[in-house]
């Protein structure tokens, strides 16, 4: 059973600070890792993908992957109130389906 | 065109009704998915179509019947649903031959069974 775990939160971060979201996965063979943002009542939106160990940056977002520790994280710099959402970590092994974590609810406090 | 379009956006149906949810994408993706999402829970996979053939059915009750008429369209036929089937139904699509892409989700259909 492939599992993806996230702290459900809520995680509260002051506006302008760095929000750090974490995800661990059980299957060492996992190859692709994704972060989705989901606003309440809306569908998930892909914001970051990462496949290799290390950091990947896109604007205010940085994804970090450590395959040895089976750990992937998302950093959001200069957090804005519009970043308040649920963040879903998703992991893909080969061509198999995405496995989602339970999501972390993030609240940015103005 | 990088969108997955779902219709209708909202649907209220009685337990004896028959209705269909529709999903369309023109990104050339050959894998399409139906997910069900309850409040404060992650999306839960229902069905996977790969090259228009059903490849995964996650033990979904037969009152849900998927159909993939062509590579761009995916339907979910609903019949004799229960109130607990009320949820957000999400369609998604992806490339088949590479692991390096996530799924693109549609905006969803909010289904209420009364």
């Amino acid at each position: 059973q492939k599992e993806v775990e996230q702290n459900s939160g809520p995680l509260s971060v002051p506006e302008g600070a760095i929000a750090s979201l974490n995800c661990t996965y059980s299957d060492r063979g996992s190859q692709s890792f994704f972060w989705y943002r989901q606003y309440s009542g809306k569908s998930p939106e892909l914001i970051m993908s990462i496949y290799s160990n290390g950091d990947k940056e896109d604007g205010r977002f940085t994804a970090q992957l450590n395959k040895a520790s089976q750990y992937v994280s998302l950093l959001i710099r200069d957090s804005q109130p519009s970043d308040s959402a649920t963040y879903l970590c998703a992991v893909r092994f080969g061509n198999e389906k995405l496995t989602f974590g339970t999501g972390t609810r993030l609240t940015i406090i103005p | 065109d990088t969108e997955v379009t779902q219709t209708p956006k909202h649907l209220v149906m009685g337990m004896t009704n028959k209705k269909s949810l529709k999903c369309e994408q023109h990104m050339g993706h050959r894998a399409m998915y139906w997910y069900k999402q309850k409040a404060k829970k992650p999306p839960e996979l229902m069905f996977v179509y790969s090259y228009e053939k059903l490849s995964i059915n996650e033990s979904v009750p037969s009152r849900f019947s998927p159909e993939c008429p062509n590579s761009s369209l995916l339907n979910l036929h609903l019949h004799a649903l229960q109130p607990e089937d009320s949820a957000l139904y999400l369609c998604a699509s992806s490339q088949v031959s590479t692991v390096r892409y996530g799924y693109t989700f549609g905006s969803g259909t909010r289904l209420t069974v009364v």
Side-chain angles (χ1 to χ4, degrees):
Chain A
Q1 179 78 1
K2 298 179 174 63
E3 295 183 348
V4 179
E5 296 196 1
Q6 298 179 251
N7 187 327
S8 62
L11 175 65
S12 296
V13 173
E15 183 175 356
I18 295 175
S20 178
L21 304 163
N22 303 316
C23 173
T24 58
Y25 58 94
S26 63
D27 190 338
R28 285 195 171 274
S30 298
Q31 297 176 276
S32 313
F33 308 86
F34 307 91
W35 283 99
Y36 284 83
R37 177 177 63 198
Q38 187 172 25
Y39 294 113
S40 181
K42 302 295 185 182
S43 64
E45 173 192 9
L46 181 63
I47 55 172
M48 288 291 286
S49 57
I50 188 166
Y51 327 108
S52 305
N53 278 327
D55 295 0
K56 178 181 178 183
E57 186 175 320
D58 184 0
R60 295 186 297 112
F61 298 100
T62 299
Q64 299 175 316
L65 175 61
N66 184 326
K67 289 188 177 181
S69 301
Q70 296 174 240
Y71 175 95
V72 58
S73 65
L74 179 70
L75 301 178
I76 306 174
R77 290 182 300 282
D78 188 22
S79 296
Q80 302 296 309
S82 58
D83 295 326
S84 296
T86 295
Y87 289 80
L88 295 160
C89 174
V91 177
R92 194 170 187 182
F93 175 77
N95 279 330
E96 292 186 12
K97 62 186 181 184
L98 277 183
T99 299
F100 284 92
T102 52
T104 298
R105 188 156 51 97
L106 173 66
T107 301
I108 306 301
I109 303 168
Chain B
D1 188 354
T2 57
E3 284 190 349
V4 176
T5 303
Q6 288 188 246
T7 56
K9 293 195 182 307
H10 301 275
L11 178 62
V12 179
M13 61 184 291
M15 290 188 284
T16 58
N17 290 161
K18 285 185 181 181
K19 296 287 185 183
S20 296
L21 309 184
K22 297 186 183 301
C23 175
E24 186 170 6
Q25 59 88 14
H26 294 288
M27 294 179 282
H29 291 169
R30 300 305 296 274
M32 296 185 76
Y33 312 84
W34 280 115
Y35 279 84
K36 172 183 177 180
Q37 188 175 27
K38 303 281 273 186
K40 300 189 189 303
K41 298 290 187 183
E44 179 183 333
L45 183 65
M46 301 174 72
F47 302 104
V48 179
Y49 273 84
S50 179
Y51 296 101
E52 295 87 70
K53 290 190 180 351
L54 183 65
S55 60
I56 295 178
N57 176 341
E58 294 283 3
S59 302
V60 178
S62 60
R63 57 186 184 267
F64 295 92
S65 175
E67 178 196 20
C68 189
N70 59 54
S71 61
S72 300
L73 294 174
L74 185 65
N75 298 321
L76 186 63
H77 303 297
L78 314 172
H79 173 55
L81 294 193
Q82 303 297 308
E84 60 265 29
D85 296 321
S86 299
L88 179 66
Y89 287 83
L90 296 162
C91 174
S93 69
S94 74
Q95 302 279 6
V96 173
S97 58
T98 175
V99 305
R100 293 201 160 196
Y101 293 94
Y103 299 174
T104 301
F105 283 89
S107 58
T109 294
R110 175 73 59 188
L111 174 67
T112 303
V113 181
V114 297

